[in-house]
């Protein structure tokens, strides 16, 4: 008789990491899958359903034809880094060194992750405004940071300065700031940025600023980069991407701008995470960043019209809307519809009405805090709005529509 094989089949026990066990799949991207499953109109995930500018599509095709098909320099093609530096100078008046202060990554998503992994040590705390773009939670867990949440409260999504001050301590390594903000549409004002700056200086903390909606501004709102504030040039990691400004969310090209010592740490993490972003698309990005001011003016005015269109549709359907001054989302209050929570309502909307939106709880650490909210995106065509308006007629409003 043969001895038992050391490799005999035994039930494999699940041994996933504690980190991966701490967060769920993206609710936003799950809503997109449900939208496909139920043939619903997708007003959940923030990607345009209209074409990207013809010039940059052509530039990408030409780059591939010219055989720019091998690895770019790991921290970014020189042409793109030069264009990023030149645009930052033109729009924010800051001179940066493209050789030592920029890391091109696979979208701002990777730029955020590489930046966090480059600066976080076990025990470090990161201050995060809440509601927050859902990636920041897993970003904190994966990098090993402990998040400290500070509430932005409707209707203006203002924060309480005392609460913010209380969240900072000697354990604080950074604050994550997203302006213009997803999901609230808040655009942080100078006085607010200054109070954040004062805390960063006092506690020697970094500001990691996600500025990917910088050109989507309404009602006279102004985008101020944190790096332009006195004392913040060296403390800020500015994150941006091609995704939203040029309607190419699938290209996955973003970047982090930071002081040279911080950049060398980000570059090392980035290199071993992904090696680099798509080489031909970086070349097309270099062209996009040179678009004249008129491109950004048209972008903002087109989005303003889309915002007002969706506000009208949602209010007409009985949603209470918080009017956004930036980015391309509308947060709503759904209390009047009488559903027990946001998830139940979102599922009803996608299955029975045929509209996908994002449950508010996905933007909060404690789901109960977001149970009265649903987020809709307006980066969509008129055809989509018309279809959405038609479907929402089936929804029974609980009370008179209103907007703040
Ligand atoms: C605030 C914010 N940051 C980052 C991203 C992702 O950007 P990217 O496509 O550049 O990775 C999104 C996408 O919706 C976002 O809303």
């Amino acid at each position: 008789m043969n001895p038992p094989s050391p490799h005999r089949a035994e039930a494999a026990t699940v041994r996933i990491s504690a980190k991966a066990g701490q967060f769920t799949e993206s609710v936003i991207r799950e809503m997109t899958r449900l939208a496909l499953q139920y043939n619903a109109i997708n007003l959940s995930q923030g990607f345009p359903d209209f074409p990207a500018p013809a010039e940059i599509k052509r530039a990408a095709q030409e780059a591939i034809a010219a055989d720019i098909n091998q690895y770019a320099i790991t921290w970014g093609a020189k042409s793109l880094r030069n264009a990023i530096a030149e645009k930052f100078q033109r729009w924010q008046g800051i001179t940066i060194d493209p050789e030592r202060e920029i890391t091109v990554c696979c979208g701002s998503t990777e730029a955020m992750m590489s930046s966090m992994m480059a600066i976080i040590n076990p025990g470090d705390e990161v201050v995060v405004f809440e509601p927050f773009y859902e990636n920041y939670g897993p970003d904190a867990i994966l990098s090993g940071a402990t998040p400290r949440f500070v509430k932005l409260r409707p209707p203006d999504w203002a924060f309480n300065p005392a609460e913010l001050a209380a969240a900072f301590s000697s354990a604080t390594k950074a604050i994550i700031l997203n302006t213009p903000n997803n999901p609230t549409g808040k655009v942080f004002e100078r006085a607010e940025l200054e109070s954040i700056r004062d805390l960063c200086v006092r506690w020697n903390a970094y500001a990691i600023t996600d500025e990917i909606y910088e050109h989507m501004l309404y009602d006279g709102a102004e985008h101020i980069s944190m790096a332009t504030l006195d004392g913040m040039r060296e403390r800020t990691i500015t994150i941006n991407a091609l995704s939203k400004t040029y309607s190419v969310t699938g290209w996955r090209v973003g970047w982090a701008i930071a002081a040279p010592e911080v950049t060398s740490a980000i570059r090392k993490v980035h290199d071993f995470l992904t090696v680099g972003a798509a080489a031909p698309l970086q070349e097309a990005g270099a062209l996009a960043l040179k678009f004249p001011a008129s491109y950004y003016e048209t972008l903002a005015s087109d989005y303003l019209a889309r915002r007002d269109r969706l506000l009208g549709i949602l209010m007409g359907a009985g949603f209470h809307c918080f009017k956004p001054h930036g980015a391309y989302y509308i947060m709503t209050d759904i209390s009047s519809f009488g559903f027990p929570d946001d998830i139940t309502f979102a599922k009803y909307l996608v299955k029975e009405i045929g509209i996908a939106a994002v449950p508010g709880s996905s933007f909060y650490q404690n789901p109960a805090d977001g149970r009265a909210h649903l987020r809709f995106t307006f980066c969509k065509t008129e055809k989509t709005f018309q279809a959405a308006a038609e479907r929402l007629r089936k929804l029974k409003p609980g009370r008179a529509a209103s907007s703040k």
Side-chain angles (χ1 to χ4, degrees):
M1 206 173 117
N2 292 333
S5 157
H7 304 298
R8 75 183 189 283
E10 285 201 5
T13 49
V14 178
R15 301 185 71 201
I16 62 161
S17 74
K19 281 179 177 174
Q22 277 175 60
F23 52 90
T24 59
E25 275 185 54
S26 158
V27 177
I28 298 179
R29 293 177 278 283
E30 191 199 335
M31 287 314 298
T32 287
R33 287 193 293 273
L34 285 179
L36 288 170
Q37 185 181 337
Y38 293 103
N39 199 20
I41 293 165
N42 191 357
L43 301 182
S44 59
Q45 200 177 350
F47 60 83
D49 65 353
F50 45 84
E55 298 92 309
I56 70 168
K57 290 193 287 193
R58 204 175 314 118
Q61 287 159 354
E62 283 168 8
I64 290 174
D67 235 332
I68 303 181
N69 293 314
Q70 309 310 326
Y71 300 123
I73 297 171
T74 176
W75 51 81
K78 190 169 169 51
S79 57
L80 178 57
R81 282 183 287 115
N82 286 347
I84 292 167
E86 194 273 325
K87 181 165 182 274
F88 208 43
Q89 168 70 54
R90 190 157 29 106
W91 282 87
Q92 295 295 335
I94 308 181
T95 307
I96 49 165
D97 179 354
E99 294 307 323
R100 298 190 309 144
E101 296 186 292
I102 299 173
T103 312
V104 174
C105 296
C106 298
S108 65
T109 301
E110 194 237 316
M112 177 64 75
M113 192 73 251
S114 291
S115 300
M116 301 250 315
M117 291 179 86
I119 61 167
I120 298 297
N121 287 315
D124 284 350
E125 293 185 0
V126 171
V127 178
V128 182
F129 286 111
E130 185 181 47
F132 52 86
Y133 171 56
E134 63 166 359
N135 279 35
Y136 303 154
D139 285 344
I141 293 166
L142 289 171
S143 64
T146 304
R148 295 285 306 263
F149 295 101
V150 175
K151 285 257 165 17
L152 300 173
R153 293 197 175 83
D156 299 329
W157 306 103
F159 60 86
N160 177 334
E163 284 176 16
L164 182 65
F168 275 75
S169 70
S170 53
T172 308
K173 181 58 77 68
I175 178 167
I176 298 180
L177 178 72
N178 171 217
T179 183
N181 185 260
N182 172 13
T184 64
K186 176 185 174 71
V187 181
F188 283 74
E189 290 176 4
R190 186 171 294 280
E192 293 176 309
L193 296 175
E194 283 173 353
S195 70
I196 297 167
R197 184 265 319 270
D198 293 348
L199 290 165
C200 287
V201 171
R202 174 167 174 212
W203 296 105
N204 192 24
Y206 293 106
I208 313 180
T209 65
D210 179 338
E211 306 188 5
I212 68 165
Y213 298 104
E214 66 174 325
H215 293 292
M216 286 146 204
L217 299 165
Y218 322 111
D219 315 317
E222 184 196 359
H223 172 65
I224 302 167
S225 276
M226 184 58 116
T228 63
L229 267 65
D230 270 357
M232 289 309 284
R233 171 78 172 74
E234 304 298 312
R235 291 179 195 283
T236 306
I237 303 176
T238 307
I239 289 183
N240 215 317
L242 299 180
S243 303
K244 311 287 177 175
T245 307
Y246 306 102
S247 305
V248 286
T249 58
W251 280 19
R252 318 307 307 129
V253 179
W255 53 89
I257 299 171
E261 308 72 38
V262 182
T263 291
S264 26
I266 296 172
R267 285 179 173 184
K268 282 191 286 182
V269 176
H270 155 73
D271 189 4
F272 289 104
L273 273 181
T274 65
V275 178
L281 304 183
Q282 293 193 45
E283 293 305 328
L287 177 121
L289 268 75
K290 296 192 184 89
F291 280 171
S294 58
Y295 172 80
Y296 305 97
E297 282 157 21
T298 307
L299 186 82
S301 63
D302 287 353
Y303 271 118
L304 173 65
R306 292 186 189 111
R307 179 200 70 172
D308 291 345
R309 178 77 168 108
L310 187 60
L311 273 176
I313 293 170
L314 293 175
M315 284 159 57
F319 287 88
H320 177 92
C321 297
F322 301 104
K323 191 173 178 179
H325 302 299
Y328 53 43
Y329 306 96
I330 299 177
M331 267 293 242
T332 64
D333 187 307
I334 54 167
S335 323
S336 67
F337 288 100
F339 281 76
D341 59 47
D342 58 321
I343 306 258
T344 316
F345 189 38
K347 288 199 167 147
Y348 170 80
L349 264 191
V350 76
K351 289 183 194 169
E352 307 298 332
I353 306 291
I355 300 281
V358 181
S361 51
S362 63
F363 304 107
Y364 288 88
Q365 183 204 22
N366 177 359
D369 292 338
R371 67 191 299 167
H373 297 304
L374 216 57
R375 188 202 77 176
F376 294 83
T377 182
F378 54 86
C379 50
K380 302 296 167 188
T381 56
E382 177 52 27
K383 194 167 157 234
T384 305
F385 290 138
Q386 270 173 22
E390 186 59 39
R391 291 185 182 196
L392 282 168
R393 279 196 198 106
K394 288 186 279 173
L395 188 64
K396 289 213 170 54
R399 63 168 158 80
S402 60
S403 161
K404 286 186 190 167

